[in-house]
Amino acid sequence: MTVTVNPTCVDQAARKTNTKSLWTRIADMLNTRHQRKALKDLDEHMLRDIGITRQEAEIEAEKPVWDVPRHWSQ
């Protein structure tokens, strides 16, 4: 028995599993960058309020925009 795979069908299936458009992903990355910059700019009192240290805020702010928790990209 021979199975023939139609490349168009494979491409369409891949696109269905990847529901976010390129523009949505770019917008998400820009939003992530903005949020991380804002986190880095918080003062000590505000950081204490959210339960993180200055060092933790700076580590998070230095991460690349594509390095986000999996649940953010769903």
Side-chain angles (χ1 to χ4, degrees):
M1 177 174 170
T2 303
V3 177
T4 305
V5 177
N6 182 340
T8 305
C9 292
V10 173
D11 188 41
Q12 288 172 352
R15 276 190 247 143
K16 285 181 183 177
T17 61
N18 190 2
T19 57
K20 285 192 173 186
S21 73
L22 175 62
W23 297 114
T24 302
R25 288 174 183 218
I26 292 170
D28 288 348
M29 286 184 199
L30 291 172
N31 189 33
T32 299
R33 183 179 73 174
H34 175 76
Q35 289 180 24
R36 286 182 172 158
K37 182 184 180 326
L39 179 66
K40 189 175 183 178
D41 293 341
L42 292 178
D43 64 25
E44 297 302 321
H45 179 263
M46 295 174 97
L47 289 171
R48 252 192 328 270
D49 280 352
I50 62 172
I52 65 171
T53 66
R54 167 68 51 206
Q55 183 181 13
E56 291 169 325
E58 290 186 11
I59 289 170
E60 184 65 29
E62 295 302 317
K63 289 181 180 178
V65 294
W66 56 84
D67 183 6
V68 295
R70 189 168 199 63
H71 68 274
W72 286 14
S73 59
Q74 293 178 350

